[in-house]
Amino acid sequence: MSQTPVKVPPSATSYTPATQDADLRSQINMQLHKEGHVTKIQDTLLHSLDAHPTNWPSAVQTHALTLLRTGEVTTFPALVRRVLEDVRHDTAAANAASETNGSGETNGASTNGNGNKNGATEGGGGSLAIPEAVVEAVLKTTRECLDSVCEVDDSSTAG
Amino acid sequence: SAHQSASQKKALDSFTHWFVCGDKGLMEERLMQVAVDHALNGLWDEFQAAEQERKRQEELEKSWAIARKYREYSLRVKYFYRWHHGFRNRQRIKRMKVEREK
Amino acid sequence: GSRFAPPVRNPEHAEPWDQISDEHRNEINDCFHLFDMNKDEQLDFSEFRYALQALGFSNLSRPDLIAAFKSAARPRPGWTPLPSLPNQPPPPSAPGVVDLRLSREGFQAVAARYVAARDPREELLKTFALFDRGGKGIITVDDLRGVVKELGEDVPDNELHSMVEQFDVEAKGGVSREEFLGIFLDR
């Protein structure tokens, strides 16, 4: 447990994905950074991305090469921005797809087992969504890190 | 944190999900950028090298095509006309012969 | 230029440039200009190679090409040997192929040597293959129509017919490879 854990109000444990709490986020991010957790989370991300059967990196590379070959983007910074945008879009689409046909249970790390997740983008084309299993791996590692830098302030827990 | 109760565990799970996957969460604000940079690392140089090679190849083919076109054209010109001139000369000789016999 | 260059009085001592036909001389000059891309009246090695290909020399070995190029080329203007760097092997003092340029006269001499040494049948056989579309083994009137079209010319059909008939000895509807050689090579 870190010396100065971040106090997490109980209400924060039932935030919906859309809830904004920038202050709490920046406190935690700073603490994660200070105690070197960020690198650990990133390593988990990259390791599981490379290991995942859908070979997400090569899907991204193919997409990037198409953008370059068609001349849609002509500089590297523009390419990174555009690919990032497409990844965000596909990941959001995949999440939306899982919400609609999933059991609707949004929180909790357990996967709610709702069929193939990574072909979900509309408008055809391979999905650039971050694969479900990779998200799970990141959640698992991040959970351990949060466990050590945060403290759910249960002095006023509802029960 | 072994002594965490089930509800505390579930609370932290839910909070983690918000922290990572929520809007402006860790995934969106940071991890995706890391993943994309990782995937695109080296791709730009690779693409530039491939482009240079493609252009060089194209230039090569273009010059080679120019050489081939010139070669074929000059052969056609040379030998068709020589063949055709041969024919024309014989015609002239035949006509002259006919003239003389008249 | 005249179709048949007058024989040079003493062919053995004459330069190849003087031995070859007017036509070949014109072709050599054409090819020089065709590949003197930047119009500096000089060819670099790759332009030299393409110019020879345009003259029909497309299977010369690279060492031969380099030797021929080096024999007639001169360092490009402004070329100076690289400065020798401390604790580095001294750079070559002689210019490499990439630093050499071939003047028009140089190209004429090298190309004429190749042309003079070439078996005239080689060019004829290549032309036969060009005329005989579809590799039928004979050149038909239809083939000649194609050639005329490509030359952007207009030759009456009866002339094409008699051009073929005159050499199609066995009246098989076209001129064979041997008959075609016979047109141009005085046996």
Side-chain angles (χ1 to χ4, degrees), chain A residues 8-19:
Chain A
V8 172
S11 58
T13 61
S14 49
Y15 279 167
T16 69
T19 315

Side-chain angles (χ1 to χ4, degrees), chain B residues 76 79 81-82 84 90, chain C residues 23 123 150 153 159 166:
Chain B
R76 283 197 189 92
Y79 290 106
Y81 284 124
R82 211 178 274 185
H84 190 241
R90 275 187 302 286
Chain C
E23 251 171 353
E123 209 170 61
E150 251 146 51
E153 281 290 343
E159 293 192 9
Q166 197 221 325

Side-chain angles (χ1 to χ4, degrees), chain A residues 22 25 27 45 48 54 56 65-66 68 83 95-96 102 143 153 159:
Chain A
R25 283 193 182 285
Q27 274 180 51
L45 169 79
S48 55
T54 59
W56 183 85
L65 285 173
T66 313
L68 287 171
V83 170
N95 290 347
R143 188 189 182 294
D153 179 4

Side-chain angles (χ1 to χ4, degrees), chain C residues 4 10 12 17 28 58 95 103 106-107 109 114 117 140 152 160 162 171 181-182:
Chain C
F4 302 97
N10 42 15
E12 304 77 24
W17 178 253
I28 290 174
S58 41
S103 67
F107 179 69
Y114 279 123
T140 62
L160 299 183
S162 57
L181 292 180

Side-chain angles (χ1 to χ4, degrees), chain A residues 41 44-45 134-142, chain B residues 20 27 31:
Chain A
I41 298 171
T44 305
L45 169 79
V134 173
V135 176
E136 291 308 323
V138 166
L139 284 170
K140 189 165 167 299
T141 306
T142 309
Chain B
V20 174
M27 180 60 86
L31 295 183

Side-chain angles (χ1 to χ4, degrees), chain C residues 168-185:
Chain C
D168 170 12
V169 175
E170 299 127 6
K172 52 193 173 316
V175 174
S176 72
R177 191 167 274 105
E178 278 313 309
E179 288 158 349
F180 182 74
L181 292 180
I183 300 174
F184 305 101
L185 297 177

Side-chain angles (χ1 to χ4, degrees), chain B residues 60 63-64 66-67 70-85 87-88 90, chain C residues 23-24 27 30-31 50 53-56 118 123-124 127 130 148 150 153 159 162-163 166 184:
Chain B
L60 207 65
S63 308
W64 192 83
I66 291 170
Y70 176 86
R71 178 66 183 151
E72 287 174 2
Y73 182 77
S74 61
L75 288 179
R76 283 197 189 92
V77 165
K78 184 188 299 189
Y79 290 106
F80 176 80
Y81 284 124
R82 211 178 274 185
W83 189 349
H84 190 241
H85 273 287
F87 158 76
R88 275 276 172 70
R90 275 187 302 286
Chain C
E23 251 171 353
H24 277 140
E27 272 175 49
D30 282 353
C31 292
Y50 288 125
Q53 270 174 354
L55 284 169
R118 175 164 58 188
E123 209 170 61
L124 287 168
T127 308
L130 208 58
V148 165
E150 251 146 51
E153 281 290 343
E159 293 192 9
S162 57
M163 280 168 74
Q166 197 221 325
F184 305 101

Side-chain angles (χ1 to χ4, degrees), chain C residues 145-163:
Chain C
R145 263 192 220 104
V147 173
V148 165
K149 200 155 147 291
E150 251 146 51
L151 294 176
E153 281 290 343
D154 185 10
V155 175
D157 245 26
N158 66 339
E159 293 192 9
L160 299 183
H161 274 281
S162 57
M163 280 168 74

